[in-house]
Amino acid sequence: MGLEKRYLEKILSIGSSSIDNESTRLKKISINVVSLIIGPVGFFWAVILYLLEHPISALIPMIYTIGSIILLIIFHKNKNLFMMQTGQMTLILLLPFLLTWSLGGLALSSFIFMWAFFAPVISLIHEKDSKQSYWLYSFIFLLIFSAIIDQRMIVLQTNPLSQTMVGVFFILNISVALSALYFLIKYFINKTDKNANTKLSIKDDALVNNTKNLHNTISYLESYKNNIDNNLIVTKTDLDGIITFANDNFYKMTGYSASEVIGSKHNINRHPDTSTKVFKDLWQTILSKKTWHGTLRNRKKDGSDYWIDTTISPILNKDNEIVEFIAIRHNITELIEHQGELEKLLYTDALTSLSNRNALLKELESQNKFSLILIDIDSFSHINHLYGEDFGNKVLIRFTEFLAIHTYDKVVYKIYRLAADQFAILSKEKDPQIIQKYSKKLLEKNNSNTIVIGEQDISLSLTLALSIRENNLLLSTANMALLAARKYSKNVMIYTDQLSLSDQYKNNLKWIKEIKEAIKEDRITMYFQPIIDNMQKGAKKYETLIRLIKKDG
């Protein structure tokens, strides 16, 4: 029985595919069941009719049996359900009526036409509502047509079946056809119930899992809410901005009570210095169903200020309509208060309290037009080496005081300390002659100035480099002027295009790249040549030459 069951399942699964859904799979099985039932019946009828000397009539059920086998083979290959069901239902509908006519009409054929009723029954399973009636109408039409031509078929039949055989065949047709119809419907109902139970079980499991996930989600949301309430400031408002909820942190921060807050607008704690433009942008953002984020300065009930990092979002219903707004805030008052200190550390030199290199670079990003004077203390490292860094720092502080005293001139905009022994004066003066005149005057005052620290008298030598180029080029061109001043032993040097080191820098970078590539590609060659001693007539030593071979040889 186990082997037979496996073969039966294989036959019923002909045409099925792993990608079929449950409905399609049932339809394919049901059409195979029809072939499995009517195919053998057709062969049985063909044998009996042939033995009763009705060869033409015997050919008709045999055509169905052979046709069913061919359709199953094709169905196994192409898995085309529409082709299979259309072919089967057409054979089932037409061939019983053809057999009825060949045997002499309805009565003489033992009502064999009833097998054609399988076609509209199968259509109930396979076709949609609009197409199911086509097969029923076709069956009724053929039945009426058969009744009309019945008398003509009786007259044309020269070898009718005996009344005994007609009766026997009638009983067989009724019992077998109705039994087959019963088992077909039962099989389909059983399969449907089984699948329904399976789906119900799956849905039940899914419901249990979803319920479990829902409880977990509620637990998570409750934890999130508790964390937010414990750490953040939360309020909710209606569409008009009226506060409908505020958590305890809001009352603690503002000093207001619930009776003062609920039903009021947020301007209850708005700071008067906050621009109305900020709130206009805020409302435009959240009313367009977007989230607004920004920093706001608010005022407590006692009049003191506090700063909050604020995020305000609209809450939407299932129709994507705004029902309320929620604001979540974080107190950043301490951070704002320390912001000035952080900026001071970023832009101020710790030793001299002058603005540093970062401050200079930031200033040069402004729209103002400047000129720049670089002040470099010559050989300052000697002071550090001789007296120590602490002594050197005192010298730098005294030099800073010197600059502060002697740079009150209107030429000076601001003084900076860029490095250990390098300072800078930023000026809004763009006239080269005025800048040079001021620089020479500053140099003369320094030459006559002596820094006294303890028992040590220190005289500093300065080199000044000037640039009046565009802001983004001021520092680099002033550095080029400083290099030129050292090269030509000048105390004051103003940058000109003749002093540009751009071409030299480009050439240096070019040769660095060329040498690296030559080493990598093994294009460095060594040559050895003797040095001849004319007195002793022989090579006493050798010199080595290293040559770079170009890519083109």
Side-chain angles (χ1 to χ4, degrees), residues 37-49 58 61-62 64-66:
I37 292 173
I38 305 180
V41 172
F43 179 79
F44 172 77
W45 271 109
V47 172
I48 291 178
L49 291 172
M62 185 58 71
Y64 175 80
T65 300
I66 296 172

Side-chain angles (χ1 to χ4, degrees), residues 369-388:
K369 305 298 181 182
F370 295 108
S371 59
L372 185 68
I373 303 173
L374 276 187
I375 303 173
D376 192 79
I377 303 175
D378 300 332
S379 305
F380 185 76
S381 60
H382 294 172
I383 296 175
N384 280 336
H385 294 157
L386 182 61
Y387 298 106

Side-chain angles (χ1 to χ4, degrees), residues 4 36 116 221 245 383 431 444 484 541 543:
E4 293 174 356
L36 198 61
L221 290 175
F245 168 82
I383 296 175
D431 188 331
E444 290 173 359
K541 52 186 175 180
E543 67 177 357

Side-chain angles (χ1 to χ4, degrees), residues 19-68:
I19 62 174
D20 291 339
N21 58 35
E22 194 62 28
S23 175
T24 302
R25 193 174 68 85
L26 281 175
K27 288 179 180 181
K28 288 183 177 181
I29 291 175
S30 66
I31 201 69
N32 291 336
V33 169
V34 172
S35 300
L36 198 61
I37 292 173
I38 305 180
V41 172
F43 179 79
F44 172 77
W45 271 109
V47 172
I48 291 178
L49 291 172
Y50 183 79
L51 294 176
L52 294 174
E53 298 180 352
H54 285 78
I56 295 177
S57 298
L59 183 62
I60 294 173
M62 185 58 71
I63 289 174
Y64 175 80
T65 300
I66 296 172
S68 292

Side-chain angles (χ1 to χ4, degrees), residues 166-327:
V166 170
V168 172
F169 287 163
F170 174 75
I171 295 173
L172 287 175
N173 280 325
I174 291 293
S175 59
V176 175
L178 293 180
S179 297
L181 190 59
Y182 167 80
F183 284 111
L184 173 63
I185 295 173
K186 180 181 179 182
Y187 179 83
F188 186 77
I189 291 174
N190 288 339
K191 279 290 184 181
T192 303
D193 288 345
K194 182 179 179 181
N195 290 326
N197 290 333
T198 302
K199 290 180 180 179
L200 186 61
S201 177
I202 293 173
K203 289 183 178 180
D204 185 57
D205 292 341
L207 180 61
V208 171
N209 289 331
N210 289 338
T211 303
K212 182 178 179 181
N213 291 335
L214 180 60
H215 286 305
N216 288 336
T217 302
I218 292 173
S219 177
Y220 295 151
L221 290 175
E222 190 67 28
S223 298
Y224 296 152
K225 180 181 179 301
N226 291 336
N227 282 322
I228 290 174
D229 283 342
N230 292 334
N231 297 284
L232 300 174
I233 304 167
V234 182
T235 59
K236 290 196 295 184
T237 67
D238 61 17
L239 299 182
D240 297 320
I242 303 299
I243 301 173
T244 58
F245 168 82
N247 68 348
D248 291 340
N249 287 336
F250 181 84
Y251 299 127
K252 292 176 183 178
M253 173 59 67
T254 63
Y256 288 102
S257 64
S259 60
E260 294 172 305
V261 171
I262 303 301
S264 302
K265 291 191 174 184
H266 271 294
N267 55 17
I268 190 175
N269 65 331
R270 180 186 299 178
H271 196 280
D273 293 344
T274 305
S275 171
T276 56
K277 183 180 178 181
V278 173
F279 295 101
K280 183 179 179 181
D281 174 67
L282 185 157
W283 276 103
Q284 285 179 344
T285 301
I286 60 178
L287 287 175
S288 62
K289 301 177 183 178
K290 297 178 182 178
T291 296
W292 184 88
H293 179 262
T295 300
L296 293 176
R297 184 182 184 184
N298 284 346
R299 178 158 289 178
K300 299 180 182 180
K301 185 177 180 179
D302 62 10
S304 60
D305 298 342
Y306 66 97
W307 291 85
I308 49 174
D309 180 69
T310 306
T311 300
I312 304 176
S313 300
I315 304 300
L316 309 177
N317 61 16
K318 62 181 180 62
D319 298 320
N320 202 37
E321 298 171 336
I322 300 174
V323 294
E324 63 180 354
F325 301 101
I326 184 169

Side-chain angles (χ1 to χ4, degrees), residues 438-504:
Y438 172 79
S439 299
K440 290 178 180 179
K441 184 179 178 181
L442 180 62
L443 193 61
E444 290 173 359
K445 288 181 179 180
N446 176 74
N447 292 338
S448 61
N449 177 63
T450 300
I451 296 175
V452 179
I453 298 177
E455 298 179 356
Q456 303 296 329
D457 294 342
I458 304 297
S459 296
L460 298 178
S461 174
L462 305 180
T463 299
L464 276 60
L466 291 56
S467 176
I468 55 174
R469 298 299 296 270
E470 297 82 2
N471 283 9
N472 62 324
L473 298 175
L474 273 181
L475 193 55
S476 61
T477 51
N479 277 315
M480 291 182 190
L482 184 62
L483 292 174
R486 294 193 182 286
K487 180 178 180 181
Y488 298 112
S489 300
K490 300 288 186 180
N491 295 118
V492 179
M493 179 70 75
I494 186 168
Y495 175 81
T496 62
D497 290 337
Q498 288 75 18
L499 298 179
S500 175
L501 299 175
S502 298
D503 293 338
Q504 180 178 337

